[in-house]
């Protein structure tokens, strides 16, 4: 028989059971940026579909986007999945994305702003280009998409939900992450201000702040040593699966969170 310590270790590190869909978003139309691949955006697109929504995928990487569209359309039906490449640093591409949603679906109900860019660099060595690139994708890109969403809701008279992807580093310090932390803290402030303005439109704006959700891109831009260190700090002794973050996004997109706006929900197994 396991000791208490051994049993506790198994519980902390065990992968959770996948949660099936419950049709929480049936009949609704959602847009997800940076939705190609195996990260939080891709997991969110899948969870929205599993909950009954129609989903418009968007990503700056056209090839990966097409592959994601084809795979999800084969599983959930081509009538519920469409895609349009979009670089969130390009205003004309964002306008084209939201125009596409209006033309194909008559309007939107949910916008998930997931696009972001990270990297590691000591502030003393960080170039202006490194700083500006991270902020342009992560903060300015979110601003552009929130603005486009609110304009779409205002012009169509539809109510809806915006969910932004922030990060716990927007609250706490981490060496080498000054640009990313500043951008994510900005996303949090943007979320609160946008929520105040959007309330009159009947639109809710919230954000999630994950701590550590493992996916292939994160492995490419972060050292194995740092990932191991961050994982050990998590109370469950493991990183989050991307779909666990997506579950919280689904909650914020659903009517279960009807009285939440301007909130940043920490998706973390440790104190934010």
């Amino acid at each position: 028989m396991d000791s208490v310590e051994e049993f506790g270790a198994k519980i902390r590190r065990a992968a959770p059971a996948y949660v099936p869909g419950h049709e929480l978003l049936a009949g609704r139309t959602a847009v997800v940026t940076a939705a190609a691949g195996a990260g939080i955006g891709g997991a969110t697109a899948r969870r929205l579909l599993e909950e009954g929504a129609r989903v418009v995928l968007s990503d700056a990487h056209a090839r990966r986007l097409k592959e994601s569209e084809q795979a999800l359309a084969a599983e959930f039906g081509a009538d519920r999945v469409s895609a349009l490449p979009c670089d969130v640093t390009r205003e004309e591409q964002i306008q084209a994305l939201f125009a596409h949603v209006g033309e194909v679906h008559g309007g939107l109900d949910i916008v998930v702003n997931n696009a972001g860019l990270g990297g590691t660099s000591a502030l003393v060595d960080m170039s202006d280009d490194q700083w500006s690139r991270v902020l342009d994708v992560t903060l300015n890109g979110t601003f552009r998409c929130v603005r486009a969403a609110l304009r779409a809701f205002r012009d169509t008279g539809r109510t809806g939900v915006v969910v932004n992807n922030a990060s716990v580093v927007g609250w706490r310090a981490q060496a080498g992450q000054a640009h990313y932390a500043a951008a994510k803290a900005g996303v949090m402030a943007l979320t609160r201000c946008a929520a105040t303005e959007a309330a009159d439109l009947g639109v809710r704006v919230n954000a999630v702040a994950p701590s550590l959700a493992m996916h292939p891109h994160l492995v490419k831009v972060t050292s194995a040593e740092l990932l191991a260190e961050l994982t050990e700090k998590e109370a469950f002794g493991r990183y989050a699966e991307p779909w666990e973050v997506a579950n919280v996004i689904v909650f914020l997109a659903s009517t279960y969170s009807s009285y939440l706006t301007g909130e940043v929900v920490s998706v973390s197994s440790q104190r934010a």
Side-chain angles (χ1 to χ4, degrees):
M1 180 178 292
D2 292 335
S3 68
V4 172
E5 292 77 12
E6 289 171 333
F7 179 74
K10 287 183 179 180
I11 292 297
R12 285 195 300 273
R13 289 170 172 77
Y18 195 81
V19 181
H22 293 82
E23 293 293 307
L24 296 179
L25 305 173
R28 304 180 74 184
T29 298
V31 176
V32 185
T33 65
I40 292 172
T44 298
R46 169 173 290 278
R47 294 302 284 141
L48 294 172
L49 287 162
E50 290 171 344
E51 294 294 349
R54 296 177 294 270
V55 176
V56 179
L57 310 170
S58 174
D59 202 285
H61 300 277
R63 179 187 58 79
R64 292 209 313 252
L65 179 63
K66 188 65 177 177
E67 292 172 352
S68 296
E69 178 189 15
Q70 291 173 340
L72 291 172
E75 185 173 352
F76 294 99
D79 60 325
R80 293 181 55 204
V81 182
S82 62
L84 194 71
C86 180
D87 179 344
V88 298
T89 69
R90 303 284 298 276
E91 174 64 20
E92 69 276 11
Q93 293 188 23
I94 293 172
Q95 290 184 21
L97 173 62
F98 282 85
H100 168 83
V101 178
E103 292 166 3
V104 174
H105 299 292
L108 57 86
D109 303 290
I110 301 162
V111 177
V112 180
N113 293 312
N114 176 65
L117 180 66
T120 301
S121 176
L123 184 59
V124 69
D125 296 320
M126 189 179 295
S127 68
D128 282 8
D129 285 344
Q130 285 176 297
W131 174 271
S132 297
R133 178 62 178 160
V134 168
L135 264 72
D136 197 24
V137 174
T138 307
L139 177 56
N140 297 346
T142 302
F143 152 70
R144 295 182 188 104
C145 290
V146 171
R147 179 176 63 187
L150 296 187
R151 287 174 175 173
F153 287 128
R154 178 196 63 189
D155 294 347
T156 61
R158 293 168 69 128
T159 59
V161 180
V162 176
V163 184
N164 299 323
N165 192 359
S167 169
V168 294
V169 298
W171 284 311
R172 60 171 178 255
Q174 185 173 316
Q177 297 295 309
H179 45 1
Y180 187 68
K184 290 300 189 179
V187 169
M188 294 176 177
L190 170 65
T191 297
R192 291 188 288 267
C193 292
T196 300
E197 296 184 22
D200 288 342
L201 300 174
V203 175
R204 297 187 296 110
V205 185
N206 292 293
V208 293
S211 56
L212 183 63
M214 193 63 68
H215 54 86
H217 180 68
L218 182 62
V219 175
K220 292 179 182 178
V221 299
T222 310
S223 70
E225 292 77 15
L226 178 57
L227 289 176
E229 178 185 343
L230 294 174
T231 300
E232 285 301 315
K233 290 180 179 178
E234 295 289 327
F236 292 137
R238 66 171 179 86
Y239 49 78
E241 299 294 338
W243 63 263
E244 292 181 284
V245 180
N247 282 349
V248 181
I249 292 173
V250 165
F251 164 71
L252 292 174
S254 77
T255 54
Y256 278 112
S257 61
S258 59
Y259 199 66
L260 270 70
T261 196
E263 296 294 335
V264 180
V265 181
S266 176
V267 188
S268 169
S269 69
Q270 57 184 319
R271 288 184 299 116

